[in-house]
Amino acid sequence: MSILFDRTSIRQYTAEPVTDEDLNFMLKAAMSAPTARNTRCWSFIVIKDKETRKKIASIHRAAQMVLGAPLAILIVGDANLVYEDYLPQDCGAATQNILLAATEKGYGSVWCGIYGNMERMEEFAKLFNLPENIKPFALAVIGKPAEKPAEKERWSPEKIKYEAW
């Protein structure tokens, strides 16, 4: 599973489209993520339209790379389906699976956070006409990489504690 170590945030993309077959692979991976009590509270909005991506960039200053990407996926959670307060964990697992599946298929991706920023959540809800119970969680921006960031060493043994702090 070297994709776990190969995955990195990509912010520059070529114009090459994401194939429907690869998109479906990513969505299938997302739907394979675990959820609390198997509620499967997430849903996904596939975004290819250039005008919609421009609107996203205007409301999410950290998502400017969406302008150069051929695809974005908005991950949302249904507050009526979620078990207790596990929406962030459930949607987070689905988002991570999308990013890993994109890497597996040779695409670059980046996770743009939405959940927890009330203003951003309201703007995304308005832009995508989301019902009250549907909460925008994250935006996965995806495309063929037009950059190759330097490899980063992420192993940090000092972050590991055994049995207690």
Side-chain angles (χ1 to χ4, degrees), residues 153-165:
E153 177 55 54
R154 296 176 185 212
W155 174 247
S156 300
E158 67 277 6
K159 299 282 187 183
I160 303 167
K161 311 295 184 243
Y162 293 91
E163 309 301 337
W165 189 262

Side-chain angles (χ1 to χ4, degrees), residues 135-149:
K135 307 301 179 190
F137 176 76
L139 184 74
V141 180
I142 301 163
K144 288 289 183 178
E147 64 175 338
K148 177 133 176 70

Side-chain angles (χ1 to χ4, degrees), residues 42-92:
W42 27 244
S43 290
F44 311 93
I45 299 175
V46 175
I47 306 153
K48 295 181 180 180
D49 181 70
K50 192 173 204 134
E51 291 306 311
T52 303
R53 289 184 285 120
K54 283 181 184 176
K55 291 174 185 173
I56 289 169
S58 74
I59 62 175
H60 194 322
R61 66 178 176 78
Q64 298 306 299
M65 74 290 294
V66 75
L67 296 170
L71 174 74
I73 301 171
L74 180 64
I75 298 90
V76 300
D78 188 333
N80 291 343
L81 292 179
V82 69
Y83 176 70
E84 294 185 354
D85 293 325
Y86 291 106
L87 188 142
Q89 292 91 325
D90 294 350
C91 290

Side-chain angles (χ1 to χ4, degrees), residues 99-140:
L99 303 181
L100 291 172
T103 302
E104 175 73 19
K105 291 296 183 176
Y107 296 97
S109 61
V110 66
W111 177 330
C112 300
I114 299 170
Y115 192 84
N117 181 315
M118 295 310 292
E119 181 181 337
R120 198 175 285 163
M121 290 176 68
E122 288 169 12
E123 291 293 325
F124 271 87
K126 197 181 319 174
L127 177 61
F128 290 96
N129 197 31
L130 301 179
E132 179 94 13
N133 59 303
I134 304 299
K135 307 301 179 190
F137 176 76
L139 184 74

